[in-house]
Amino acid sequence: MPAPRKYPDELRERAVREVRSTGRPVAHVARDLGIHKEALRSWVRQAEADAGERDDRLTTAEQDELKELRKEVAELRRANEILKAASVFFAQEIDRPRTRPSR
């Protein structure tokens, strides 16, 4: 379970909107709102990436997709390991000499 967010989403949106609309420096807005300036800087960068203004970061949708794909890969790898173990088991069963039951 992910850790709870330190700042509410409404505060994040408000802070990003203020930086982008007023052009005030991130440090000044962060100080006024009681937010760490590097947290606000990160939020602004992410908002710019989501708006298509930055190419150096993944958008939020891309990050979510990447997270889901990584989960799926991990699940498929686990399933593959189980299938490998099962195939080894059944191959050993096939290779064993069978004894006939005596009557």
Side-chain angles (χ1 to χ4, degrees):
M1 183 169 206
R5 291 185 167 198
K6 185 173 182 180
Y7 301 106
D9 290 337
E10 297 82 22
L11 178 62
R12 290 171 180 248
E13 292 167 9
R14 177 179 165 212
V16 169
R17 190 171 49 248
E18 188 170 334
V19 168
R20 296 187 72 190
S21 64
T22 63
R24 290 180 58 208
V26 170
H28 294 178
V29 174
R31 186 181 59 239
D32 291 347
L33 296 175
I35 302 169
H36 193 276
K37 65 182 179 182
E38 291 306 317
L40 178 54
R41 190 177 321 279
S42 174
W43 301 342
V44 170
R45 286 181 181 153
Q46 190 61 52
E48 290 170 349
D50 290 345
E53 299 168 8
R54 294 182 77 103
D55 293 331
D56 61 336
R57 293 179 78 125
L58 296 176
T59 64
T60 302
E62 290 169 333
Q63 288 175 352
D64 292 343
E65 181 183 13
L66 183 58
K67 184 194 281 187
E68 289 300 315
L69 290 172
R70 285 181 173 161
K71 270 187 186 173
E72 186 178 347
V73 166
E75 184 179 326
L76 291 171
R77 284 185 175 152
R78 282 191 300 273
N80 200 20
E81 289 301 316
I82 291 169
L83 291 172
K84 283 180 186 178
S87 66
V88 167
F89 173 78
F90 287 116
Q92 289 172 350
E93 286 293 313
I94 291 172
D95 289 344
R96 282 194 191 144
R98 297 180 191 262
T99 58
R100 292 188 135 177
S102 41
R103 289 188 180 191

